[in-house]
Amino acid sequence: PTFSTTCARCSKNRRLREKRVISERKLTRYFVDHRRVRVVGGRGGEGGLSFHSEPRKIFGGPDGGNGGDGGHVILKADRQVKSLSAVLSVYQGFHGERGGTKNCYGANGAYLYVKVPVGTLVKEDGEVVADLTQHGEEYVAAYGGAGGKGNRFFLSNENRAPALFTPGEPGQERVLHLELKTTAHGGLVGFPNAGKSSLLRVISRAKPAVAAYPFTTLNPHVGIVHYQDYEQVAVADIPGLIKGAHQNRGLGMAFLRHIERCHFLLYVVDLSVSQPWIQLQDLKYELEQYKKGLSQRPCVVIGNKIDLAESRINLPLLKEQIDDRVIALSALTGDNLEELFLHLRELYNAYVKTEQSRGQSPVKW
């Protein structure tokens, strides 16, 4: 290869490396779970004003058609969209066209679709007006205005040549607040540095940031666990909680809101610290203070870092202190991941059975 070709190839490889090592802090600007949106429906087209005229029929009468209706602005849930970052602050619907001659109606304005993630909550003046929890679910955020009437509409025996037409009506205008609550089957809940991100990386293809030094994930990640029968279980890495999160300490509510959608919980505790059962008590307390009954959902306790000597000492003590099932594993070495996969599938199957008994369709990924 020539020198220029080699340089271009090296430059491309360097850009790819820079893209792969993008930090968690840089990724936060791409994940947005709140958005204030002003939506305006399209204006209806005005009515036409014309009179029909042709040879030997000079006074053919009014033939102005009605204007077209304005287009709606519609929010549509799409599972391919993971954040509200692509949602703009203002959306204007398409306007209807003016009525034409020969009684031709103006064309209606096209619908404007705004794709939002599955799990988007739509609020107006603090009240929930829509909850988009299923792929393809739609909500009309702003209706388009009705088209105006052409002068043909006003023809009567009293007025055989009306020169009157009406303008189109303006579209509906609203200010909505979009709030994203991550939709997943299970949620990894734990304090910072318990190993949730590392665990999600080894059980799925998700790539949350991990490091050898203490830090907390800055936004939720959803990983998909694949089974041989092609069933897929979505597991969300909920950013690490801290004490007082229900009082909005730290990132508080920004973390807790993403747990509401999870149908079962996976508490991740660090077995290497003294009295690891205290972590579990604190986690359940924060969840219960945020929303009553949240800590009572089906769950399993994952004791991480079993590869450490301190963890092997604390494991039997933890089992004595709590009644929940405990799965001891190591996200670093991969020890005992099989038991987690099996129990995760049991929790998912129980969720599917419960939804079907209620006559509802379980969430599929």
Side-chain angles (χ1 to χ4, degrees):
T2 63
F3 177 75
S4 60
T5 304
T6 304
C7 290
R9 188 177 300 167
C10 293
S11 177
K12 181 179 180 180
N13 292 337
R14 183 170 62 254
R15 289 196 301 270
L16 289 174
R17 287 196 300 271
E18 291 174 354
K19 185 176 182 180
R20 282 196 295 269
V21 300
I22 186 170
S23 68
E24 178 78 12
R25 184 171 297 279
K26 291 179 180 178
L27 281 171
T28 56
R29 63 177 177 171
Y30 299 113
F31 183 86
V32 177
D33 56 5
H34 266 93
R35 183 71 86 190
R36 179 181 179 274
V37 182
R38 177 172 165 263
V39 288
V40 184
R43 174 182 288 276
E46 65 180 19
L49 174 62
S50 63
F51 292 90
H52 182 71
S53 179
E54 61 179 282
R56 292 188 292 275
K57 197 175 182 180
I58 301 175
F59 302 104
D63 67 349
N66 297 339
D69 297 334
H72 306 329
V73 179
I74 301 176
L75 303 179
K76 185 173 184 178
D78 190 330
R79 66 165 63 100
Q80 300 299 325
V81 181
K82 303 302 180 184
S83 168
L84 295 173
S85 59
V87 177
L88 305 178
S89 58
V90 178
Y91 283 97
Q92 170 68 62
F94 295 102
H95 302 312
E97 294 185 3
R98 180 175 184 174
T101 61
K102 300 181 181 179
N103 298 322
C104 291
Y105 282 36
N108 294 333
Y111 292 169
L112 176 61
Y113 287 93
V114 181
K115 292 184 178 181
V116 296
V118 175
T120 298
L121 209 62
V122 185
K123 295 183 178 180
E124 184 177 24
D125 298 328
E127 295 184 2
V128 177
V129 294
D131 192 359
L132 307 177
T133 58
Q134 299 289 335
H135 174 72
E137 193 171 356
E138 298 179 1
Y139 173 70
V140 180
Y143 287 94
K149 303 299 183 182
N151 64 336
R152 171 74 180 184
F153 178 82
F154 299 98
L155 177 64
S156 66
N157 290 331
E158 291 76 22
N159 187 359
R160 305 302 297 173
L164 177 65
F165 68 95
T166 59
E169 296 182 1
Q172 184 183 18
E173 182 175 349
R174 303 169 71 186
V175 175
L176 302 175
H177 293 267
L178 307 185
E179 180 180 311
L180 174 60
K181 295 183 179 181
T182 303
T183 300
H185 299 121
L188 293 171
V189 183
F191 287 118
N193 307 311
K196 302 185 303 303
S197 298
S198 299
L199 182 60
L200 189 65
R201 289 174 72 99
V202 297
I203 67 175
S204 71
R205 296 178 181 177
K207 300 299 179 184
V210 296
Y213 51 85
F215 79 102
T216 186
T217 303
L218 297 175
N219 57 70
H221 293 267
V222 178
I224 308 300
V225 182
H226 298 266
Y227 288 89
Q228 291 184 350
D229 59 354
Y230 302 105
E231 199 68 76
Q232 298 179 352
V233 181
V235 179
D237 171 20
I238 308 300
L241 301 176
I242 64 172
K243 290 184 178 181
H246 70 279
Q247 299 173 341
N248 213 22
R249 293 181 182 175
L251 293 182
M253 303 301 185
F255 291 169
L256 287 165
R257 80 166 59 92
H258 293 284
I259 303 176
E260 289 186 61
R261 303 287 192 187
C262 298
H263 303 284
F264 48 85
L265 303 177
L266 295 83
Y267 295 101
V268 182
V269 298
D270 185 353
L271 285 177
S272 64
V273 302
S274 61
Q275 299 182 326
W277 54 90
I278 300 297
Q279 297 180 47
L280 183 62
Q281 295 173 4
D282 292 339
L283 288 171
K284 288 190 174 183
Y285 175 79
E286 293 298 329
L287 297 186
E288 196 64 24
Q289 292 299 310
Y290 174 71
K291 184 177 181 180
K292 190 172 182 62
L294 191 57
S295 65
Q296 304 302 318
R297 294 186 181 180
C299 68
V300 63
V301 178
I302 300 174
N304 194 20
K305 305 181 184 180
I306 193 60
D307 53 303
L308 302 178
E310 300 88 344
S311 300
R312 290 190 287 271
I313 297 174
N314 290 330
L315 179 59
L317 301 177
L318 174 63
K319 291 182 177 180
E320 292 177 1
Q321 293 289 331
I322 64 175
D323 298 327
D324 299 316
R325 178 173 178 175
V326 179
I327 298 178
L329 52 80
S330 172
L332 180 63
T333 63
D335 292 344
N336 205 29
L337 286 177
E338 294 80 3
E339 184 179 357
L340 174 61
F341 284 124
L342 291 173
H343 190 64
L344 182 62
R345 184 59 187 270
E346 292 175 5
L347 290 171
Y348 174 75
N349 290 340
Y351 153 69
V352 172
K353 187 176 181 180
T354 301
E355 291 296 296
Q356 291 176 345
S357 65
R358 295 175 180 173
Q360 300 178 356
S361 299
V363 176
K364 295 288 185 178
W365 279 75

